[in-house]
Amino acid sequence: MNADDIAAIVVSYRSAATIDACLRHLRAARDVVQIRVVDNGSDDGTMECVQRHAAADPRIRFVANPDNPGFAVGCNQGANDSDAPWLAFVNPDLMVATDDLARLRDDARLLGEALVGADLVDESGDHDPAARRRDPDFAAMLRNPAMRVLSVASNGEPLQRVAAVSGALMLMSRALFERIDGFDQEYRLHAEDLDLCRRVRAAGAIVAIDNSVVVTHLRGVSSRSRPIFVEWHKHRGLWRYFRKFDAVDHGIATRVLVFAMVWARFPLAAMRAMARAG
């Protein structure tokens, strides 16, 4: 195994619309020596496509979970099934260019010990606001609804330190991943990336985004098949994040109000997600 080698970890769920293109891009990516696809019980032809790629490329191995244990579990499974010194977590609706992952690896090396993400755009070229974020401050959100916006603008520098990047594309060393015990598997969907980034920083490492690496992300392809399920676990994840990191610093009244704020938003968010899926 070479010190530059990268393992790409893809967690899929009903990703037939994009997984073929995603894997073609990963197979062409520089320094990617292992590709691990962890499928969470897809029933739409995703696994058939993955199997065709695996038959053509020995770098690809897959885990076919019989159910959907969640994104965090799948990421840890893929990492544990590989042994490359660098880990890239790549959504199945993400299309990396040939040098993208190698450039992020070089960024992480330059920073010393770091988790690095990229600028993400959709098919229309619109930027994903989740690509660079600050930590959520739920108590502050109670006083000022504007604090619910977590996105951070680009500072114009190629390599920008931020609190969190999007879980759609994250690269870090295996050593750092193992030092922080990987993803917290108590999250099912959403907020596990915020959690991981916060623990990376707590461990003394850096979280950064390379604003010069722009990657196409066809957002929400898997989520559209089960919008209410996704929104439920998104809100559950946010509540877990608050309980894990911040609840201890607040009294019972604030905790109750944060709980109410998070879950009062769920019905409207679910209706909006259903409308988008329809």
Side-chain angles (χ1 to χ4, degrees):
M1 192 66 63
N2 189 289
D4 287 339
D5 289 347
I6 300 168
I9 314 300
V10 181
V11 178
S12 60
Y13 175 71
R14 294 182 179 174
S15 305
T18 61
I19 191 70
D20 179 65
C22 174
L23 291 178
R24 282 191 282 106
H25 283 79
L26 285 174
R27 289 172 63 184
R30 179 162 60 91
D31 294 336
V32 171
V33 301
Q34 297 174 341
I35 301 172
R36 300 293 181 259
V37 181
V38 181
D39 185 74
N40 283 338
S42 294
D43 55 6
D44 66 340
T46 296
M47 277 309 302
E48 288 80 356
C49 180
V50 173
Q51 288 169 336
R52 288 195 297 272
H53 279 273
D57 191 329
R59 294 176 298 170
I60 300 177
R61 293 209 309 237
F62 58 85
V63 176
N65 289 324
D67 56 3
N68 189 346
F71 178 76
V73 170
C75 286
N76 288 344
Q77 285 179 294
N80 291 337
D81 192 52
S82 64
D83 59 1
W86 295 95
L87 298 171
F89 298 96
V90 182
N91 267 22
D93 50 8
L94 202 90
M95 309 299 158
V96 298
T98 304
D99 290 331
D100 287 346
L101 298 184
R103 290 171 65 186
L104 297 183
R105 178 205 58 215
D106 294 343
D107 290 334
R109 273 209 183 111
L110 178 67
L111 292 169
E113 191 175 35
L115 182 157
V116 184
D119 195 10
L120 306 177
V121 298
D122 64 15
E123 310 94 303
S124 302
D126 293 329
H127 292 266
D128 183 351
R132 56 183 80 75
R133 288 175 287 176
R134 57 179 178 80
D135 290 330
D137 184 338
F138 293 93
M141 292 177 194
L142 293 172
R143 301 186 297 271
N144 181 6
M147 293 296 293
R148 299 175 188 179
V149 178
L150 301 183
S151 59
V152 176
S154 169
N155 64 3
E157 297 177 0
L159 199 54
Q160 176 180 355
R161 296 191 185 193
V162 292
V165 298
S166 170
L169 177 57
M170 293 175 152
L171 183 140
M172 61 196 304
S173 70
R174 177 178 296 278
L176 177 57
F177 184 78
E178 291 178 349
R179 185 155 72 85
I180 64 170
D181 295 323
F183 281 90
D184 181 344
Q185 297 187 169
E186 292 302 314
Y187 293 94
R188 188 74 176 271
L189 289 168
H190 292 285
E192 64 278 288
D193 51 358
L194 291 168
D195 178 291
L196 188 76
C197 289
R198 185 155 176 169
R199 288 186 291 116
V200 163
R201 289 167 20 237
I206 293 167
V207 177
I209 179 171
D210 189 327
N211 291 312
S212 69
V213 177
V214 182
V215 183
T216 300
H217 181 205
L218 312 178
R219 296 178 62 194
V221 172
S222 299
S223 301
R224 285 196 288 269
S225 66
R226 298 181 69 184
I228 295 178
F229 174 87
V230 170
E231 286 298 328
W232 172 265
H233 284 289
K234 179 178 181 179
H235 287 75
R236 178 178 174 272
L238 292 172
W239 174 240
R240 173 171 176 73
Y241 180 96
F242 172 74
R243 286 192 296 111
K244 180 176 178 177
F245 293 110
D246 300 322
V248 68
D249 296 325
H250 300 284
I252 186 64
T254 298
R255 297 182 199 183
V256 170
L257 288 171
V258 169
F259 179 87
M261 175 182 66
V262 169
W263 287 106
R265 185 183 176 276
F266 169 69
L268 180 58
M271 286 189 291
R272 287 175 174 169
M274 289 179 64
R276 291 194 299 269

